[in-house]
Amino acid sequence: MKRFPVRATAAASAFFVATAFSGIGAATAAETRGVGTSKATFSLLSLDLGDGGSLLNLDVLLDDALSTIDSLVATPNAFSKLSPLSLTSSVVPALNGITAGLPSFESRTPGGQGEVKGSAFDFSKGTGNLPLLGALGGVTGLVGGQLIPTSLTSALDDKGARSGLDAALANLSVLNGILSIKSVSNLLGTSAASPASAGDRGVKIDAISVLNLGELLKGLGLDLGNLPLPILNDLLKNLNLLGGLPLAGAPDLLSAVTNLTGVIDGLLKTVSGSSGVVTELVKSVPVVSGLVGTLPTQLPVLGSGGNLTSIIPTTNLLEGTVGNLLTTLQGTLQGLLGGALNLLGNLPLLKLNGADVNVATKAGRTLEDSAATAVANLGGLNVLGIELPGVDLASIGNLVNTVTSTLSGVLSLIDPSLAKLIDLKILNKVTDVSTAGGYNKALASFDVLSLDINPPTGILNVVSGLLNAGKTTSPLALLGGAGVAQPAAALPLIGGNMGLLNGLLNPTGLVGALLEGLSLKIGTMQSTSELAATTVADPAPVSVPVRGSSVTCGAGAAGRTGTDTGAFAAIAAVLAALSLGVRRWNRRPLSAD
C-alpha cells in the first residue's frame, strides 16, 4: 500500500509529459503553410528599330502587377502599375525624354493607394513635350489614340496579397497608321495566399494592321514607282489584282502599258516633226488619209459669236487634234500606272481581325496542384489582301506556314534574296510547371504577334540593282518617256509615313529606316506564380505566413494558434519531482515505533 502513492504520482506525471510533447508536435504540424509570389506583365506593343532598338525603341501600354507574402522575395506587398508610353533613340537624342511627362497609374499596398481610377488620356494631345516631334522630320503623328485606365487595385490582409488592373485602349495609331489597333481590353489579376499563388491575364485585341507593302519597301529604300514594270506586273498577277485595273482587253499590266506607250511614242514623234504631221498621219492611219484627201488646204474657224473670224491651214487643226489625243493618252497611262501602285502599295502586310487571349498560372503546395495554361483564338488574318480563316492554338501551325510561304513568295518576286526578309510568329505560347529551390513554379507567356524584319547581307547592292533596272522601265521612267512633265507628281504617294521616318532618322545616312532590321511584338503577356511550403516553429499572431518570420497584416493581430503546451510541461515537471520525493520517502528506514 505504501507504494501506491508513488505509482499514482508517476502515472500522472507520465500523462502530463506525454500530453506536453504531443501538443508540441501538433502545433508544429499546424504551422506548415505556403508562402509565395505571383507576378503578371503585359505590353501591347514593343517596337525596336535598328540593332537592339538603337534607331527607335517604342513601347505602348505597359503594365505589371505583383502580390507576395514571401519575405525572401520582398516585404509582403501588392501593387499594379500602368505606363502609357515609352520612347528612346540613341541616333536621335532629341526623342529621349519626350514621353517622361506622360502620367503613369499605380495602386500599391502598403505605402500607397488601394484603388486608383484614372481618366481617359489622349495620346494625340500628349504633353507639352510632344510637339517637339513636329520639328523632327515632320513626324507629328507619332502615337494617337485614347488610353482608358478603368481601375487599378491592391490589397494585403489576413487573406493574403492581391492586385488587379482593368484598362482599355481605343484607336491606337503609330506613325500616322504604319501600325494601327482598333481597340484593346486588358484585365489582370494576381494573388498570393497560404494555399496557393495565382495569376490571370485576359486580353482582347481588335483589328490589328501592320505596315503595308509600299511602306515595307520604302523602309528598304525602294519606292514602288521606281521598280521595274515587269516586277510590278508579276506582283499584280501573283496577288490576283489585275481585275481591278482598266486594261482595255490586254491580258496584264505590262501588255496594256506597252500598247499605250507605243501609240504615245508614235504621236510624240509625229508632233515633233510639226509640218510633217499630216504626212505621217496619212501614211500611218488610213482613216486620216481618206479624211485629209477631202479637205481644202484652208479651213474657216468660228469665233465665240458663231461668226467666221479667221482662216487657218488644215495642218494646224490636225496638230491640235493630235495634241489633244496625246494628252488623253498620257492621262490614261498615268491613271493605269497610278491605279496599279495604289493596289499594290496599300495592301496591308498583315491584318489580324481580332485576338482573344487568356493566360493563367497557379502554384500550389504540390506540383500536382500547380498549373499553367494559355488559351487563344484568332478571328481571321489578311496577308497582302489574301483572307485566311480564324484559328485557335490547336491549328495555328498550318496558318503560320501558309502566311510565311505567301510572304516569301511575294517578296522573292522583287528579288530572290528577300524571300526570308520577314520572320513571323502568331499566337506563340510557352507554358511550364516545375520545382526549383524548394518552390513549385508555374509560368505562362504569350505573344499575339511577333514580326522580325531581317534584311539580307548585301541589301544595299540589291536596292541599287533594282533602282538601276528601273531607270528605263519603272512607272516614273515610263511617264517621263511619255512626255508627262512631272512624273513624280502624277503618281500617288506610296509609303509616305515611312518616308517621314526615313527623314527623321536621316542622321544615320541609311537609304531606308528598315535596313538595320525591325523587331515588333504585339500583345506580349506573362504570368508567373511560385509557392514554397514552410514550417514556422513560433508563428506570430497572423494569418499571412512569411518564411522564417511573420508580419502582422490588416487592422489587428489574430490570437495564437495551436495547443498551449507550456502549462502541461510545467505540471509534468512538478509531478515528476514529487514522484521522486515520495519514492525516496517510502524507502527511508522505519523506526522502532
Side-chain angles (χ1 to χ4, degrees), residues 123-426:
F123 284 115
S124 60
K125 294 180 180 178
T127 67
N129 289 330
L130 286 181
L132 177 61
L133 288 172
L136 298 172
V139 182
T140 56
L142 175 68
V143 177
Q146 277 199 330
L147 172 64
I148 309 167
T150 305
S151 68
L152 295 87
T153 59
S154 60
L156 181 66
D157 52 30
D158 57 1
K159 296 179 181 179
R162 303 174 301 284
S163 63
L165 182 147
D166 182 356
L169 190 147
N171 300 318
L172 176 69
S173 173
V174 179
L175 288 171
N176 290 315
I178 284 182
L179 184 145
S180 63
I181 300 176
K182 186 176 180 181
S183 67
V184 179
S185 173
N186 180 26
L187 296 172
L188 170 154
T190 67
S191 67
S194 180
S197 293
D200 184 72
R201 293 303 321 248
V203 176
K204 291 184 179 180
I205 304 176
D206 184 23
I208 306 170
S209 180
V210 184
L211 289 170
N212 61 42
L213 184 58
E215 289 162 347
L216 173 65
L217 296 177
K218 190 81 170 181
L220 297 174
L222 291 169
D223 193 307
L224 274 173
N226 289 320
L227 287 181
L229 187 65
I231 290 178
L232 299 178
N233 189 66
D234 288 343
L235 290 173
L236 289 164
K237 279 183 177 180
N238 190 273
L239 295 169
N240 299 316
L241 296 176
L242 290 173
L245 294 173
L247 299 178
D252 54 30
L253 177 66
L254 186 59
S255 299
V257 170
T258 300
N259 293 340
L260 269 173
T261 54
V263 174
I264 292 172
D265 185 59
L267 289 177
L268 285 173
K269 290 179 180 178
T270 298
V271 172
S272 65
S274 190
S275 62
V277 169
V278 174
T279 303
E280 292 296 330
L281 286 175
V282 169
K283 289 180 178 179
S284 59
V285 184
V287 174
V288 175
S289 175
L291 175 63
V292 171
T294 63
L295 293 175
T297 57
Q298 301 287 323
L299 293 173
V301 178
L302 295 176
S304 59
N307 300 320
L308 293 174
T309 58
S310 63
I311 295 177
I312 63 173
T314 301
T315 54
N316 288 0
L317 283 178
L318 291 174
E319 286 176 3
T321 302
V322 171
N324 290 337
L325 176 60
L326 180 61
T327 299
T328 300
L329 292 174
Q330 287 172 334
T332 302
L333 178 63
Q334 175 184 329
L336 181 59
L337 292 173
L341 294 184
N342 260 323
L343 284 174
L344 285 173
N346 292 316
L347 279 177
L349 194 67
L350 286 172
K351 184 177 180 181
L352 278 72
N353 299 322
D356 189 352
V357 182
N358 183 271
V359 298
T361 55
K362 175 189 174 185
R365 296 186 183 182
T366 65
L367 203 58
E368 292 73 18
D369 194 32
S370 304
T373 61
V375 179
N377 291 285
L378 189 66
L381 187 65
N382 184 302
V383 185
L384 292 173
I386 300 173
E387 289 286 348
L388 299 172
V391 296
D392 57 18
L393 283 174
S395 54
I396 190 63
N398 292 333
L399 177 67
V400 171
N401 290 337
T402 300
V403 173
T404 301
S405 62
T406 300
L407 290 172
S408 178
V410 169
L411 294 174
S412 65
L413 293 174
I414 300 171
D415 189 272
S417 68
L418 301 180
K420 296 183 179 180
L421 177 68
I422 295 175
D423 182 23
L424 176 70
K425 295 182 177 64
I426 304 172

Side-chain angles (χ1 to χ4, degrees), residues 3 5-11 13-14 572-588:
R3 297 188 180 274
V6 177
R7 292 174 179 172
T9 304
S13 177
V574 171
L575 289 176
L578 181 60
S579 174
L580 181 60
V582 171
R583 179 181 180 89
R584 290 179 177 175
W585 183 80
N586 281 334
R587 290 181 178 179
R588 77 186 190 285

